[in-house]
Amino acid sequence: MNKTIDLVAIGRAALDLNSIEINRPMEETESFRKYVGGSPANIAIGQAKLGQKVKFIGKVGDEHHGRYITKYMEDAGVDMSDVVVDNEGHMTGLTFTEIKSPSESNIIQYRDEVADLYIRPDEVKEETIASSKILLVSGTALAQSPSREAVLYAIDLAHQHDTRVIFEIDYRPYTWKSAEEVSVYYTLVAQLSDVVIGTRDEFNMLENSEEADNAKTVEKLFNYRPELIVIKHGVQGSHAYTKDGQVYDGKAYKANVVKTFGAGDSYAAAFIYALNQGKGVEDALKYGAASAAIVVSRHSSSEAMPTVDEIEALIIEQDGSL
Amino acid sequence: MNKTIDLVAIGRAALDLNSIEINRPMEETESFRKYVGGSPANIAIGQAKLGQKVKFIGKVGDEHHGRYITKYMEDAGVDMSDVVVDNEGHMTGLTFTEIKSPSESNIIQYRDEVADLYIRPDEVKEETIASSKILLVSGTALAQSPSREAVLYAIDLAHQHDTRVIFEIDYRPYTWKSAEEVSVYYTLVAQLSDVVIGTRDEFNMLENSEEADNAKTVEKLFNYRPELIVIKHGVQGSHAYTKDGQVYDGKAYKANVVKTFGAGDSYAAAFIYALNQGKGVEDALKYGAASAAIVVSRHSSSEAMPTVDEIEALIIEQDGSL
Amino acid sequence: MNKTIDLVAIGRAALDLNSIEINRPMEETESFRKYVGGSPANIAIGQAKLGQKVKFIGKVGDEHHGRYITKYMEDAGVDMSDVVVDNEGHMTGLTFTEIKSPSESNIIQYRDEVADLYIRPDEVKEETIASSKILLVSGTALAQSPSREAVLYAIDLAHQHDTRVIFEIDYRPYTWKSAEEVSVYYTLVAQLSDVVIGTRDEFNMLENSEEADNAKTVEKLFNYRPELIVIKHGVQGSHAYTKDGQVYDGKAYKANVVKTFGAGDSYAAAFIYALNQGKGVEDALKYGAASAAIVVSRHSSSEAMPTVDEIEALIIEQDGSL
Amino acid sequence: MNKTIDLVAIGRAALDLNSIEINRPMEETESFRKYVGGSPANIAIGQAKLGQKVKFIGKVGDEHHGRYITKYMEDAGVDMSDVVVDNEGHMTGLTFTEIKSPSESNIIQYRDEVADLYIRPDEVKEETIASSKILLVSGTALAQSPSREAVLYAIDLAHQHDTRVIFEIDYRPYTWKSAEEVSVYYTLVAQLSDVVIGTRDEFNMLENSEEADNAKTVEKLFNYRPELIVIKHGVQGSHAYTKDGQVYDGKAYKANVVKTFGAGDSYAAAFIYALNQGKGVEDALKYGAASAAIVVSRHSSSEAMPTVDEIEALIIEQDGSL
């Protein structure tokens, strides 16, 4: 099939409510600024800002928040025509973020019975998956049925239509019932994906283990479908492993940090963009890290997504050249 | 037992998130101001501001919002020592309020699996009920188990200890499973209460009928425990009925309306205050209506609660005298 | 309204599967004989056998067991026209009974998601309640929503139509969530009933206490609606208390015991029959005890229900006269 | 690891209650004979009777039925040391079977909240999977969490330890939420298995389609792990397909049919036995079909399982030779 879409993201599109008064505990804040949030929504917005053709598959509440999200993402350039409005009373998910200090930002999530977890397999369109180069899956959609089955179905369709599956682990403790349940589905989806991206902590969840041995992690997964695995270690940088045995080390860029959340999504958006542009893994690691450095210096995760020019300017500024 | 408390309220203490940008739909607002909310919490705060000795029975989430509510209500003078912090992952309930125009204010509520619905009968202390003159019950606490049973247990204790039961119907459509379920519990609790306060629409829910005949409504309930029934008709004013056959008509006061929500809670707080001060029903209707007029002219439902002086000033201003 | 029905029973109609091989543990039995079971179903069948005009309100599974129950009860003379066939996949409840020895009979109940617990208030017909002299309520129907609300609604209708409410506590530990929940609803329904019948153990559940003081139990309940309370003490006999202060002691009759279950239902059927015939409480206690003695000497609880002749023959045999 | 076990089966071990009075509808039967039931339990018992070393992984109710199952299977030679007794109140599953005529046998299943669906991943022992030649998975265990995750975890362990995965689809409509959900997990587990066995109807469920094209079915699955696929067409016989393109046609043997259920389990037990003995696919089809012909001529599914001698005698009788 003709690949007319660069990336289709499936999963959580929700509302972030970020404390307006920063550098204090949320008990002492008075007001919140709303933004679109949720890892795959942020990545979709990020990709659109980078000029990619992006579509979203998900479900939002039949209320003001759901309508806001759909409108915002459309305005940002994301094709929202496959997004379903819930008709069973499920609300849009929420994330309240406290920005206590540049290094401490606790969140409170409302994830019980939220709309994004109720997208069903029969609401995923085969032609959408078939016409996209990449299917981006994020881990929170696996936390509960039926969105779990919608993702598994989308992956099966992707395999049938030569659509590359990229798994951004995006672990959130909400709605999962046990560490074993997390591990079973993360392992399964990682084995079925072409690219897996996550923090070292997230790979620990996948393995239900504290061993944290990157070499073992990638050796095990390379027995299955993955060809490229990215393991992130925060400010220590990240490592990319390819099936043919290559290892690439990426550094983190300096940033004037406001808060740390949002870093992973902006990283993924730019990393995938660079790969899609035909750049090598080494360059992709730079684009990812630079994009992350920009988002952590801003108040939101979605609206903060940078353009190509901003990313490249930062790389040039800190590295001397692209 | 020695009645050292004027009123103990049981039920919902939650967070209100009111649109800061008013007179527009919530899809177009950008930020929210947080307040304590929930009918019995508002009434407790209102009563405390009127100088009453007030205690609260409820459950809040083990997170920033729960801690904020507890601190705010304590500071407002409400004894929060019986409030339980949830330890099963239930979050504090939320209400987002749109202030589209003075007469149109839609709300979105997050009520699925919220902490206030998980207060259990064994978490209600007999000595608290026994030492209070009034037990204030609000209808949302009946919407689900186990808070439903906690309220029924509290009412049984109130009967045993000569504590007057006041039922503020406070109907919210969330978490109820059917109109019949609403009717069964509202009917039951109304029959077990000494005073029942609600809007005409809420009495329709109680009767699961659109008949809306005040005379029939009170005739039926006076076969049971109630001695005083207040039926509110918005700007048309309200009617109070007593078991001995008296009917009192109360008018609404003029107000510079910002939004209509919060009116009922401020009405109840001042109405009960006036009765407790030994004033007659006719005066109580005035205090209730004046208090409501003040709250609808302000941005919140809880922080907006007036003092005795403010209420009496408004009555004098509009009626010429108290 | 014209009272054309002697008794309408609401609640559980289920399947009993009694071990055919008796006097051994169920692990060693090979086969089961099926019977209709469930306290209100047994009482309805018992009453019909005693010549009373009886109707049943309940819900059965849309399968062979449900059809068997409806057919069996109709053949026994119970009007089953108000019984609803479940259309949501709920199965008929089951009770497997082990008859290990005359004094030891363990049961296993299948009560999760069973049809009888899904009867809804809107499936209870006002005209049925209105046209009956007695509404018989049994406690298991209170164990879960929506059958809990159906019973509360039926009681409210009974009050409106001068239908006497008899509460057979019939405690079964299944599907209740806590001892407090049991106590709240048993207390409530006892307070709303005209007659309450139960074992001392069941009144302990009602009081959520091990105090077991009959005098206190009846004193508390006589503050409410009840006029007659029967507390059963197994082979030690039973006590009946009336609101005007009378106490009646009933003895147990000798029996060739096969198993003890079913005793309570046959007791209730005959006790209520005698009252309805205008006999005094003293005689009613005899009829109840004689009926119980007959059922414990037989294999089932429903098919074993005696006729008036059988009951009176046993009384004459053991007492010398009626 | 040393493969000391021939086959470990995971999933449903439940109770069958077969009508003793046959050739009539269940509404008219009076009694039931109990047997162990459930596809993987039957296959485990069948394999043990064929002299194989067999272990079972599952969960049973903490009641008479659960104890009966454990004892019966142990006596039949199945190692039950990994079977967990439920401690959360879940009951053993039940299947009531009507034997209306040789060709019509309806069943009623009690599958809500049953113990076998509550086996968790952390209750599956790695060393058990590692020490077995074969892991037998049956489809009903996929119908709900957490037994679904326990099976997925067991399959992942099997892959790590070179344990062959055989998937007996065994579709039962109970507890599944939608046809799409069935299809997602059947597809996934089929792709992860080495051998897949099912009826044509079951492969339709896997494909969520009525197309019923064996060639397409196997072509699709052979893109994944499976090496051998058996599609059964009832009395028309069955077809076995191997990854290298071979097709084998198996016929059904004549039988004096009492009822048709149990055929699939006995087929699987003998088919797997023959393969394990080093016989070719052609012979395995004969052993499976002969074993099925024996079980359909008997009253139960488990106790009816034949010995090697009985199977071979039937083949010789009908084919003239082995």
Side-chain angles (χ1 to χ4, degrees):
Chain A
M1 193 163 179
N2 198 8
K3 298 293 191 186
T4 56
I5 305 170
D6 290 309
L7 178 142
V8 58
I10 185 168
R12 177 165 60 114
L15 203 71
D16 280 357
L17 287 151
N18 294 3
S19 295
I20 292 177
E21 302 83 15
I22 67 170
N23 295 324
R24 72 185 72 173
M26 205 191 295
E27 289 91 336
E28 296 170 18
T29 65
E30 204 172 59
S31 50
F32 298 93
R33 171 79 162 79
K34 78 177 176 187
Y35 298 100
V36 170
S39 174
N42 290 339
I43 294 173
I45 292 167
Q47 281 262 307
K49 278 212 176 166
L50 296 169
Q52 302 290 288
K53 203 156 164 23
V54 185
K55 196 161 185 172
F56 197 79
I57 302 174
K59 188 172 267 189
V60 294
D62 186 13
E63 17 76 346
H64 305 77
H65 296 339
R67 288 187 289 275
Y68 169 72
I69 289 167
T70 302
K71 176 77 162 38
Y72 182 91
M73 290 181 72
E74 269 169 358
D75 290 350
V78 180
D79 180 344
M80 297 294 277
S81 58
D82 277 13
V83 170
V84 182
V85 176
D86 178 86
N87 62 5
E88 303 174 308
H90 301 117
M91 313 294 287
T92 300
L94 304 176
T95 303
F96 288 88
T97 57
E98 169 190 63
I99 306 177
K100 213 166 170 180
S101 76
S103 60
E104 205 180 344
S105 331
N106 291 303
I107 65 169
I108 306 180
Q109 290 201 309
Y110 282 74
R111 301 284 310 145
D112 273 315
E113 301 290 313
V114 293
D116 62 76
L117 292 169
Y118 283 88
I119 178 96
R120 301 189 310 264
D122 63 284
E123 293 170 332
V124 174
K125 292 185 187 156
E126 181 163 4
E127 66 179 54
T128 296
I129 307 291
S131 59
S132 183
K133 290 181 199 155
I134 293 171
L135 169 68
L136 179 99
V137 165
S138 100
T140 40
L142 298 168
Q144 205 176 281
S145 295
S147 86
R148 178 185 288 166
E149 287 82 39
V151 170
L152 293 170
Y153 177 60
I155 291 173
D156 193 46
L157 291 175
H159 290 174
Q160 289 173 43
H161 295 285
D162 291 320
T163 301
R164 213 175 182 198
V165 179
I166 301 185
F167 179 33
E168 222 297 343
I169 303 181
D170 184 42
Y171 173 68
R172 303 286 164 185
Y174 298 81
T175 78
W176 288 104
K177 295 206 187 79
S178 68
E180 284 79 16
E181 192 193 34
V182 175
S183 176
V184 161
Y185 290 105
Y186 279 7
T187 298
L188 193 62
V189 170
Q191 291 175 356
L192 296 167
S193 297
D194 300 281
V195 180
V196 185
I197 304 173
T199 65
R200 184 59 247 179
D201 284 350
E202 289 174 334
F203 280 97
N204 289 357
M205 294 301 302
L206 184 153
E207 296 174 342
N208 196 18
S209 148
E210 296 296 321
E211 204 183 17
D213 181 330
N214 285 0
K216 280 199 190 165
T217 297
V218 301
E219 185 198 342
K220 227 166 160 179
L221 284 175
F222 282 142
N223 285 325
Y224 295 87
R225 192 179 190 97
E227 293 174 358
L228 173 61
I229 298 170
V230 179
I231 305 179
K232 297 180 290 181
H233 293 257
V235 291
Q236 276 89 50
S238 52
H239 307 285
Y241 303 82
T242 59
K243 203 168 211 151
D244 60 11
Q246 299 294 311
V247 184
Y248 304 87
D249 299 323
K251 65 166 188 181
Y253 287 99
K254 272 169 275 172
N256 191 4
V257 181
V258 171
K259 42 68 185 160
T260 53
F261 56 85
D265 303 334
S266 54
Y267 185 103
F271 181 85
I272 296 168
Y273 161 79
L275 288 184
N276 257 14
Q277 296 305 106
K279 298 181 193 292
V281 172
E282 206 153 358
D283 278 344
L285 289 169
K286 284 186 194 175
Y287 275 73
S291 179
I294 292 167
V295 165
V296 297
S297 68
R298 298 178 178 174
H299 192 246
S300 79
S301 300
S302 51
E303 200 155 305
M305 286 290 175
T307 60
V308 175
D309 286 350
E310 290 174 316
I311 290 173
E312 297 185 343
L314 185 139
I315 296 173
I316 291 168
E317 182 196 322
Q318 295 198 22
D319 287 351
S321 69
L322 273 188
Chain B
M1 192 164 180
N2 197 8
K3 299 291 192 187
T4 56
I5 304 170
D6 291 308
L7 178 142
V8 59
I10 184 168
R12 176 165 60 115
L15 203 71
D16 280 356
L17 287 151
N18 294 4
S19 294
I20 291 178
E21 301 83 15
I22 68 170
N23 295 324
R24 71 186 72 174
M26 205 190 294
E27 289 91 335
E28 297 170 18
T29 64
E30 203 171 60
S31 51
F32 299 93
R33 171 78 162 82
K34 77 177 179 187
Y35 298 101
V36 169
S39 175
N42 290 338
I43 294 173
I45 292 167
Q47 281 263 307
K49 278 213 177 165
L50 295 169
Q52 302 290 289
K53 201 156 166 22
V54 186
K55 196 161 186 171
F56 197 79
I57 303 175
K59 187 172 270 191
V60 293
D62 186 13
E63 18 75 348
H64 304 79
H65 297 339
R67 289 187 289 274
Y68 169 74
I69 289 166
T70 303
K71 175 78 162 37
Y72 182 91
M73 291 181 70
E74 270 169 358
D75 290 351
V78 180
D79 180 344
M80 298 293 277
S81 57
D82 277 12
V83 170
V84 181
V85 176
D86 178 85
N87 62 4
E88 303 175 309
H90 301 117
M91 312 294 288
T92 300
L94 304 176
T95 303
F96 288 87
T97 58
E98 170 190 61
I99 306 177
K100 213 166 169 179
S101 76
S103 60
E104 206 182 343
S105 332
N106 292 302
I107 64 169
I108 306 180
Q109 288 202 310
Y110 282 73
R111 300 285 309 145
D112 273 314
E113 302 289 314
V114 293
D116 62 76
L117 291 170
Y118 283 87
I119 178 96
R120 300 189 310 263
D122 63 284
E123 292 169 332
V124 174
K125 292 185 187 155
E126 181 163 5
E127 67 179 55
T128 296
I129 307 291
S131 60
S132 183
K133 291 180 198 153
I134 294 171
L135 169 67
L136 179 99
V137 165
S138 100
T140 40
L142 298 167
Q144 204 177 283
S145 294
S147 86
R148 178 184 288 166
E149 289 81 40
V151 170
L152 292 170
Y153 177 61
I155 291 172
D156 193 47
L157 291 175
H159 290 174
Q160 290 174 42
H161 295 285
D162 291 320
T163 302
R164 213 175 182 199
V165 178
I166 301 184
F167 179 33
E168 222 297 344
I169 303 182
D170 184 40
Y171 173 67
R172 303 287 164 184
Y174 298 82
T175 79
W176 287 104
K177 293 205 188 81
S178 68
E180 286 79 15
E181 191 192 35
V182 174
S183 176
V184 162
Y185 290 104
Y186 279 7
T187 298
L188 194 62
V189 169
Q191 291 175 355
L192 295 168
S193 297
D194 300 281
V195 180
V196 184
I197 305 173
T199 66
R200 184 60 247 179
D201 285 349
E202 289 174 334
F203 279 97
N204 289 357
M205 295 301 304
L206 184 152
E207 296 173 344
N208 195 19
S209 148
E210 296 295 321
E211 203 183 17
D213 181 330
N214 285 0
K216 281 198 190 165
T217 297
V218 302
E219 187 199 341
K220 227 165 160 180
L221 284 175
F222 282 143
N223 285 325
Y224 295 87
R225 192 179 189 98
E227 292 174 357
L228 174 59
I229 298 170
V230 180
I231 305 181
K232 298 179 289 181
H233 293 256
V235 290
Q236 277 88 48
S238 53
H239 308 283
Y241 303 83
T242 59
K243 202 169 212 152
D244 60 11
Q246 300 295 312
V247 183
Y248 303 88
D249 299 322
K251 64 167 188 181
Y253 287 98
K254 270 168 278 172
N256 192 3
V257 181
V258 171
K259 42 69 182 163
T260 54
F261 56 85
D265 303 334
S266 54
Y267 185 104
F271 181 86
I272 296 167
Y273 162 79
L275 288 184
N276 257 16
Q277 296 305 105
K279 298 181 193 291
V281 172
E282 208 152 358
D283 279 344
L285 289 169
K286 285 186 193 173
Y287 275 73
S291 179
I294 292 168
V295 165
V296 296
S297 68
R298 297 177 179 175
H299 192 246
S300 79
S301 300
S302 51
E303 199 155 306
M305 287 288 176
T307 61
V308 176
D309 286 350
E310 290 175 313
I311 291 172
E312 297 185 343
L314 185 139
I315 295 173
I316 291 169
E317 183 196 323
Q318 295 198 22
D319 288 351
S321 70
L322 272 188
Chain C
M1 192 163 180
N2 198 9
K3 298 292 191 186
T4 55
I5 305 170
D6 291 309
L7 178 142
V8 58
I10 185 169
R12 177 166 60 115
L15 203 72
D16 279 357
L17 287 151
N18 294 4
S19 294
I20 292 178
E21 301 84 14
I22 66 171
N23 296 325
R24 72 186 70 174
M26 204 192 294
E27 288 91 335
E28 296 170 18
T29 64
E30 203 172 60
S31 51
F32 298 94
R33 171 80 162 81
K34 76 176 179 189
Y35 299 101
V36 170
S39 175
N42 290 339
I43 293 173
I45 292 167
Q47 281 263 307
K49 277 211 176 166
L50 295 169
Q52 302 291 287
K53 201 154 166 24
V54 185
K55 196 160 185 172
F56 197 78
I57 301 174
K59 187 172 268 190
V60 294
D62 186 12
E63 19 74 347
H64 304 78
H65 297 338
R67 288 188 288 275
Y68 168 74
I69 289 166
T70 303
K71 176 78 164 37
Y72 182 92
M73 290 180 72
E74 270 169 359
D75 289 351
V78 180
D79 181 344
M80 298 293 276
S81 57
D82 277 13
V83 170
V84 181
V85 176
D86 177 85
N87 62 5
E88 302 175 308
H90 301 117
M91 313 293 289
T92 300
L94 303 175
T95 303
F96 288 87
T97 57
E98 170 190 62
I99 306 177
K100 213 166 170 180
S101 76
S103 60
E104 204 182 343
S105 332
N106 292 304
I107 65 170
I108 306 180
Q109 290 202 309
Y110 282 73
R111 301 283 310 143
D112 272 316
E113 302 290 312
V114 293
D116 63 75
L117 292 170
Y118 283 88
I119 179 96
R120 299 190 310 262
D122 63 285
E123 293 169 331
V124 174
K125 292 184 186 155
E126 180 163 6
E127 66 179 55
T128 295
I129 307 290
S131 60
S132 183
K133 290 180 199 154
I134 293 170
L135 169 68
L136 179 98
V137 165
S138 100
T140 41
L142 298 168
Q144 204 177 282
S145 295
S147 86
R148 179 184 286 166
E149 288 82 39
V151 170
L152 292 170
Y153 177 61
I155 292 172
D156 193 46
L157 292 175
H159 290 174
Q160 289 174 42
H161 296 284
D162 291 320
T163 302
R164 212 174 181 199
V165 179
I166 302 185
F167 179 33
E168 222 297 345
I169 303 181
D170 184 40
Y171 173 67
R172 303 287 164 185
Y174 297 83
T175 77
W176 287 106
K177 293 206 189 80
S178 68
E180 285 79 15
E181 191 192 35
V182 174
S183 176
V184 161
Y185 290 104
Y186 279 7
T187 298
L188 193 62
V189 169
Q191 291 174 356
L192 296 168
S193 298
D194 300 282
V195 181
V196 185
I197 305 173
T199 64
R200 183 60 247 178
D201 284 349
E202 289 174 333
F203 279 97
N204 289 357
M205 294 301 304
L206 184 152
E207 295 172 344
N208 196 18
S209 148
E210 296 296 320
E211 203 183 18
D213 181 330
N214 285 0
K216 280 198 191 168
T217 297
V218 301
E219 186 199 342
K220 227 166 161 179
L221 284 176
F222 282 142
N223 285 326
Y224 295 86
R225 192 178 190 99
E227 292 174 358
L228 174 60
I229 298 169
V230 180
I231 305 179
K232 297 179 290 181
H233 293 256
V235 291
Q236 275 90 49
S238 53
H239 308 285
Y241 303 83
T242 59
K243 203 168 211 152
D244 61 11
Q246 300 294 312
V247 184
Y248 303 88
D249 298 322
K251 65 167 188 180
Y253 287 99
K254 270 169 276 174
N256 191 4
V257 181
V258 171
K259 42 69 185 160
T260 53
F261 56 84
D265 303 334
S266 54
Y267 185 104
F271 181 85
I272 296 167
Y273 162 79
L275 288 184
N276 257 15
Q277 295 306 104
K279 297 181 193 293
V281 173
E282 208 152 358
D283 278 344
L285 289 169
K286 284 187 194 174
Y287 275 72
S291 178
I294 292 168
V295 165
V296 297
S297 69
R298 297 177 179 175
H299 192 247
S300 79
S301 301
S302 52
E303 199 155 306
M305 286 289 175
T307 61
V308 176
D309 286 351
E310 290 175 316
I311 290 172
E312 296 185 344
L314 185 139
I315 296 174
I316 292 168
E317 183 196 323
Q318 294 198 23
D319 286 352
S321 70
L322 273 188
Chain D
M1 193 163 179
N2 198 9
K3 297 293 191 186
T4 56
I5 304 170
D6 290 310
L7 178 142
V8 58
I10 184 168
R12 177 166 59 114
L15 204 71
D16 279 356
L17 287 152
N18 294 3
S19 294
I20 291 177
E21 301 83 15
I22 67 170
N23 297 325
R24 72 185 71 175
M26 205 191 293
E27 289 90 336
E28 296 170 19
T29 64
E30 204 171 59
S31 50
F32 299 93
R33 171 80 162 80
K34 77 177 178 187
Y35 298 101
V36 169
S39 175
N42 290 338
I43 294 173
I45 292 167
Q47 280 263 308
K49 278 213 175 164
L50 295 169
Q52 302 290 287
K53 202 154 166 23
V54 185
K55 196 161 185 171
F56 197 79
I57 301 174
K59 186 172 270 190
V60 294
D62 186 12
E63 18 74 348
H64 304 79
H65 297 338
R67 288 187 289 275
Y68 169 73
I69 289 166
T70 303
K71 176 78 163 37
Y72 182 91
M73 289 181 72
E74 270 170 357
D75 290 350
V78 180
D79 181 344
M80 298 292 277
S81 57
D82 277 13
V83 170
V84 181
V85 176
D86 177 85
N87 62 5
E88 302 174 309
H90 301 116
M91 313 293 288
T92 301
L94 303 175
T95 303
F96 288 87
T97 58
E98 171 190 60
I99 306 178
K100 215 167 169 179
S101 77
S103 60
E104 206 182 343
S105 330
N106 291 304
I107 64 169
I108 306 179
Q109 290 202 308
Y110 283 74
R111 302 284 307 145
D112 273 316
E113 302 290 311
V114 293
D116 63 75
L117 292 170
Y118 284 88
I119 179 95
R120 299 189 311 261
D122 62 284
E123 293 169 332
V124 174
K125 292 183 187 158
E126 181 164 4
E127 66 179 54
T128 295
I129 307 291
S131 60
S132 183
K133 290 179 198 154
I134 293 170
L135 170 68
L136 179 99
V137 165
S138 100
T140 41
L142 298 169
Q144 204 177 283
S145 295
S147 86
R148 178 184 288 165
E149 288 82 42
V151 169
L152 292 170
Y153 177 60
I155 291 173
D156 194 46
L157 291 175
H159 290 174
Q160 290 173 42
H161 295 285
D162 291 320
T163 301
R164 212 173 180 199
V165 179
I166 300 184
F167 179 33
E168 222 298 344
I169 304 181
D170 184 41
Y171 174 67
R172 304 285 165 186
Y174 298 82
T175 77
W176 288 103
K177 294 204 187 82
S178 69
E180 285 79 16
E181 191 193 33
V182 174
S183 176
V184 161
Y185 289 104
Y186 279 8
T187 298
L188 193 62
V189 169
Q191 291 174 356
L192 295 168
S193 297
D194 300 283
V195 180
V196 184
I197 305 173
T199 65
R200 183 59 247 179
D201 285 350
E202 289 174 334
F203 279 97
N204 289 356
M205 295 300 304
L206 183 151
E207 296 174 344
N208 196 20
S209 148
E210 296 296 321
E211 203 183 18
D213 180 330
N214 286 1
K216 280 198 192 167
T217 297
V218 301
E219 186 199 341
K220 227 166 159 178
L221 284 175
F222 282 142
N223 286 325
Y224 295 86
R225 192 179 189 98
E227 292 174 358
L228 173 60
I229 298 170
V230 180
I231 305 180
K232 297 180 289 180
H233 293 257
V235 290
Q236 276 88 49
S238 53
H239 307 284
Y241 302 82
T242 59
K243 204 169 212 152
D244 60 12
Q246 300 294 312
V247 184
Y248 303 88
D249 298 323
K251 65 166 187 180
Y253 286 98
K254 272 168 275 174
N256 193 3
V257 180
V258 172
K259 43 69 185 160
T260 53
F261 55 85
D265 303 335
S266 53
Y267 185 104
F271 181 85
I272 296 167
Y273 162 78
L275 287 185
N276 257 15
Q277 295 307 105
K279 297 182 194 290
V281 173
E282 208 152 357
D283 278 346
L285 289 169
K286 285 187 194 174
Y287 275 72
S291 179
I294 292 167
V295 165
V296 296
S297 69
R298 297 178 177 173
H299 192 247
S300 78
S301 300
S302 52
E303 200 155 305
M305 286 288 174
T307 60
V308 175
D309 286 350
E310 290 175 314
I311 290 173
E312 296 185 343
L314 185 140
I315 296 173
I316 291 168
E317 184 196 322
Q318 295 197 25
D319 286 351
S321 69
L322 272 189

